[in-house]
Amino acid sequence: MLSRKHPHALWHCRPIVVGLWLAYLICAADSLFAAEPVTRQQVISQLESGTKDLSNLQAAGVDLSGVDFRGARLFGANFDGANLSNARLAHCNLDLTLMRGTVLVNADLRESSIFGVLMDRANLSGANLRGARLMSKLDSANLDGANLSELKSGADMRNQPMGLIRIVLTHASLKGAKLIGADLSRGDLSYADLREADLTRANLSRTNLTGANLGNAWLDGANLTDAEIHNAIFVGAMGMQKVLGLDSTKGKETATFDQ
């Protein structure tokens, strides 16, 4: 239930495109985050004591760089503006957390679950998200050089009762990122910077790539079936002859390819 102190919280989250029900849950959680943040030492002490359930942890703005969270349940935690550089977050449950502006440079997030998370402007440069389940909002996030291979971000159309739940990477930077075998189907990557990214065998079917820059990217075996590529840039992209579904894309006539 939304806090009475924040009667308009849901209204302010209307632009979120990850599903109205999810926006509601996120805003409701956000309105309850009024507690004082924990200290770095308190978090380390809890983890060293063997505690694995740190649900709803209040750590906005806290320096947690290098902390070993492996396997922890961090459901609903608030990491807005926190420093999680080099943190070890493999196999963690980070569903419905808040990570707006969070620094996750070189963080290890392998096979973690990051569902319904607000990660606008987060810095994940060099982070390892191999095999992670990432269904979140990452507008203007920095994922330069990140490892997103085998990422599980495809929208499941069998479970969309309240609106499309998908990964959102609008205006995000993924320059040089590894997306080998990543499932980004039906995602929104409009105006994303994918220059020099490795999208070998990536599933981009029905993905919105409007205005995206895929210059010098690797696309060998990538699936672009029914993708939107209005004004997208493919100059210097490699493996174009092995791209699947290119003829079915929407907006191909406005995209830029090598002459």
Side-chain angles (χ1 to χ4, degrees):
M1 180 179 295
L2 289 173
S3 168
R4 293 181 180 178
K5 296 181 180 179
H6 301 279
H8 303 299
L10 182 58
W11 172 260
H12 290 308
C13 286
R14 286 174 67 91
I16 297 176
V17 293
V18 293
L20 292 178
W21 67 273
L22 187 54
Y24 180 92
L25 288 175
I26 293 173
C27 294
D30 198 10
S31 70
L32 296 175
F33 288 152
E36 287 294 318
V38 296
T39 65
R40 175 186 175 89
Q41 190 54 51
Q42 286 174 328
V43 173
I44 292 174
S45 295
Q46 288 187 65
L47 290 167
E48 289 180 344
S49 71
T51 299
K52 287 294 183 181
D53 192 346
L54 296 174
S55 298
N56 301 314
L57 182 74
Q58 304 305 303
V62 178
D63 181 4
L64 297 168
S65 56
V67 173
D68 189 350
F69 289 96
R70 283 177 297 176
R73 177 178 170 81
L74 295 160
F75 181 93
N78 185 353
F79 291 115
D80 276 352
N83 183 1
L84 287 159
S85 296
N86 298 299
R88 304 173 77 178
L89 292 152
H91 305 283
C92 284
N93 183 336
L94 289 154
D95 296 347
L96 292 182
T97 57
L98 293 172
M99 290 191 176
R100 294 168 293 197
T102 303
V103 179
L104 290 144
V105 175
N106 296 323
D108 182 2
L109 291 147
R110 287 172 298 163
E111 298 184 21
S112 54
S113 180
I114 312 170
F115 183 89
V117 179
L118 293 179
M119 302 181 76
D120 297 345
R121 304 176 309 283
N123 187 350
L124 293 118
S125 57
N128 189 349
L129 293 104
R130 186 180 183 91
R133 177 181 181 244
L134 182 61
M135 298 283 283
S136 299
K137 186 170 179 286
L138 296 104
D139 288 345
S140 301
N142 182 352
L143 293 107
D144 291 348
N147 187 350
L148 303 161
S149 297
E150 308 299 333
L151 195 70
K152 301 175 180 68
S153 297
D156 185 356
M157 300 312 295
R158 298 168 299 177
N159 186 28
Q160 300 287 351
M162 297 293 287
L164 184 62
I165 301 170
R166 58 180 177 171
I167 188 169
V168 178
L169 286 159
T170 57
H171 296 281
S173 182
L174 296 105
K175 187 175 180 181
K178 294 180 180 178
L179 293 132
I180 302 169
D183 185 0
L184 297 160
S185 56
R186 297 180 187 268
D188 188 352
L189 280 76
S190 53
Y191 303 99
D193 185 352
L194 289 154
R195 288 176 294 167
E196 301 173 15
D198 190 344
L199 291 151
T200 302
R201 301 188 310 280
N203 184 357
L204 296 163
S205 59
R206 297 183 182 273
T207 299
N208 185 356
L209 290 164
T210 298
N213 190 343
L214 294 96
N216 298 313
W218 282 266
L219 290 163
D220 195 345
N223 185 354
L224 285 169
T225 301
D226 294 325
E228 297 182 43
I229 61 171
H230 306 277
N231 299 307
I233 299 171
F234 291 88
V235 176
M238 291 162 278
M240 290 299 298
Q241 69 278 11
K242 295 184 179 180
V243 169
L244 306 176
L246 186 59
D247 290 339
S248 70
T249 56
K250 302 172 183 177
K252 182 181 177 183
E253 67 281 0
T254 67
T256 304
F257 299 90
D258 287 326
Q259 298 299 321

